[in-house]
Amino acid sequence: MKKLLRALVLFVSFPIFAQQGGMWVPSLLKGMNEKEMKSLGMKMSVADIYDVNTSSLKDAVPQFNGGCTAEVISSKGLLLTNHHCGYGEIQSHSTVEHDYLQDGFWAMSLEEELPNPDLEVTFIVSIHDVTKEILNGVDAITNEAEKKTAVQKNINDLQKSYKREDWQSVMIRTFFEGNQYMLFVTESFEDIRLVGAPPSSIGKFGSDTDNWVWPRHTGDFSLFRIYADKNNRPAKYSKDNVPYTPKHFLPVSINGVEQNDFTMVYGYPGRTQEYLPSFAVEQIVNDLNPAKIEIRDKALKVADGFMRQDQAIKIQYASKFASIANYWKKWIGESQGLKKSNAVGIKKSFEQEFLDRAKKQNKMSEYGNLLPQFEKIYKDITPYALARDYFQEIVLRNNELLSVGFRLYQLENAFNKSGEQAFNDRKENLIKGLEALYKDYNKDVDHGIFNETVKLYGTKAPANLTPALIKDKDYIALGNDIYSKSALTSYDKLKKLMNGKAADVVKNMQKDPGYVLAKSLAANYFDNVAPSYDKMALELESLQRTYMKAQLELFPDARIFPDANSTLRVTYGKVNGYQPSDAVTYNHVTYLDGVIEKYVPGDYEFDVPQKLIDLYNTKDFGPYADKNGKLPVNFIATNHTTGGNSGSPAIDAHGNLIGLNFDRVWEGTMSDIHYDPAICRNIMVDARYILFVIDKYAGAKHLIDEMKIVKPKETKKAKR
Ligand code: ARG
Ligand code: ASP
C-alpha cells in the first residue's frame, strides 16, 4: 500500500513521467531528475555522475573531436568511441596496401599505436551558471543586433577574466535559447593515438542500408589512447608523452542488459529543436528537407557508381560519402516520422493551449503576438532559407571544385579588404589546408556530382535568388567546359594558379571558369540571399527566446529541458523494444545469429569476415555470451539522444559501462524536433560484443587485461 501511494505521488507530480525524453545538465540533476532516475532503478547518487570536488563519471567522458563522445575505460587512458567517429583517422592511415578500413587495425603494443595530428578530446572540469554576468546590462537594450553584440562582449570578457589553470580553457554556451548561460572549464588533450578498429565488415556492418535502422547488428566501435606529458597534463604529440592517468575510468560490465533495466547515456548531444512553433516544422517537412534530400540523393548516386568500381576511389570517398549519406537518410526518416506522428498537429494544439494559458494569466500583451509573428516570418523567410540551403549544400558541401572556388573567393576578398600581406598569409594557409582535400580528390567523381547538383540549383532553387550563370543552361556543356579548363581540378594546377604576386594571382583567377562560377554563386548568396535571411533569422531568434521564456513561465510543471547545444548532458531511460507499426513488435536486443542471417558473401555492406563466421560456428564466445549461450550484438532503450551522442557510454544503475551509443531507430529519427516516447529509441553496441571482438576476434587480450571487467557474480542485481 505504501509503495502504491508513493508511486501515485510520483506519478502525480511528474504527470508525463520519465519516458518523455530529455537531455539534462549534469550539474543540475538534484531534485526531479534524481527522483526519476532512482524510480527507474538507478543505484548511484547524482554526485557519482557529476561532482567538482571528487572524481565522478564526468571525468571519464570527454567530447571526441568536436562532434562525438568517447569514454576512458582503463587507468592508462584507453578511450572507447564509435568506429564511425574514428573513421576519418582510420581512413587517414589507410592505403590500398594497408587498408585498415577494410581489414581493421590492432596495435599490439604502445609503440604500434598511431598518432593523429588533428584529433583532440575535451574533458569538462566544472560547470557554472553565469546567466547574471552574461545578461548584465542587456535587458535595457531594445535593438536585437545591439543586444547580441552586448551579450557577445560579456561572454568574451568573462571568458578572458574567469580564473582557470594555464592548460585549461573556458567556454560559455546559452541554454533555453538565450534565457540562461553556462560556463564550462575544460581540458583538451591533443596527443590521441589509434589503438584498434575492427574491419568495416564488423564496425560498419550493414553500412548505409542498415544506418538509422533497427534491428541492427553493427560493432560500431574503435579504440584510441590519450597521451599526456610527464605531469599528466595535455601536450602536443611527442614520442616522450606517456599514457594519461584519468581521474576516473568506467569499469566494463559483462552482466548484460534485460528488458526494463535502467540505462543512462552521458555525452555531448549536438543540436535539437524541441520548442519550435508549428510553422517551423511545416517548413522543414514541406520545403527544406525535400530540397536537401534531392541534392544529396543525386550526389550520392554519382559517388556510389564510382566507388563500387574502383577500390582507390572507394577509400578516397568513404568518409565523405558516409557523412553525406548519413544526414540524407536521417532527413528522409525525420520527415516521415514528423508526418506519421502528426507533429504539426500536436504543435498546433499545444499552441492553442499556450494561448489559453496566456489569456488566463493576463499575459496576452506580452505573448499574444508571438505566434502570428512566427507565422509571418516563417512564410517570408522560406525562399531565402531554400536559396541558402541550395548554396550551402551544393557549393560548400557536395561539390569540391566549387568549395575550393569559394575559399579562393574569400581570399580575393581578403586582398580587396586588407591588401597583399593579408592575402599572402591566408594563401599559405589555404594551400596547406587544401592538401588533404586533394589527396582524396577525384576529378571524374566531382565532375559527375557537379553536373547533377548544379542542374538542380539552376532549375529548382527560387528563381529570383539564383544567378543567371546557372539558370537554364546546357549543364553537361557547362560541366565539360569547367572540368576541362579549370585549374581547381588538381592540386598542382591550383598551386600554379596561386603562384606570384597577389594582384597577378587575383587577375589570373578571373580567367579560370571554375573560379568565375564559384565567385558568382558566392557573390549572389552574399548580396541577394544572406542579408534578408540573416535579418529575418535574427528576428526569429528573438521570438524564439521569448517563446521559450513564455513556455517556461506558462507551463511551470512541464518537464522542460534545454535543447542540445554540444555540451555535456545526461539522458536516461529503460531498455525497451517498441512497436513500429500495426502488428509489428521489435525486441530490445539482437544477436550474432542476426549477423549471420544478414550475411551476403562479397557484398560491400553485408559481408562477414571468415574469422567471425568460424567463431560463430564453434560458439567460441568466451565469457561474453548471455545465459542462453547467445552473443548479444546491439540493444535499444528509451534514452533521448541526438547527433554528437555517438560514442557516448551507456551506463548501468551502478556506473558501469554496458554499451556504446551509436544511432537511433528509423521511426524515431524525428526526435530532434518532436520526441515521441512510444517509438524513439537509441541504439547501442552491447559491451559484451565489443569485448568479444577485441578478445576473440582480434586476439588483443592485452587490452582486455587493462580494463576493469565487472563479472556477473560481482554486482548483485537489485530486485525489481
Ligand atoms: N546514423 C548514425 C549517426 O548519425 C551513424 C552514422 C555512421 N554510419 C553510416 N553508415 N554512415 O551518426
Ligand atoms: N549517429 C549519431 C552520432 O554520430 C547519433 C544519433 O544521431 O543518434 O552522433
Side-chain angles (χ1 to χ4, degrees), residues 67-68 82 84-85 211-212 326-327 330 641-647 661-664 672:
C68 279
N82 289 142
H84 79 261
C85 293
N211 191 19
W212 300 109
N326 191 34
Y327 266 66
K330 149 110 194 272
T641 54
T642 186
N645 268 125
S646 275
N661 184 71
F662 72 103
D663 207 1
R664 280 171 281 166
D672 294 345

Side-chain angles (χ1 to χ4, degrees), residues 645-666:
N645 268 125
S646 275
S648 297
I651 295 171
D652 71 4
H654 306 274
N656 304 310
L657 184 92
I658 43 170
L660 177 64
N661 184 71
F662 72 103
D663 207 1
R664 280 171 281 166
V665 304
W666 183 243

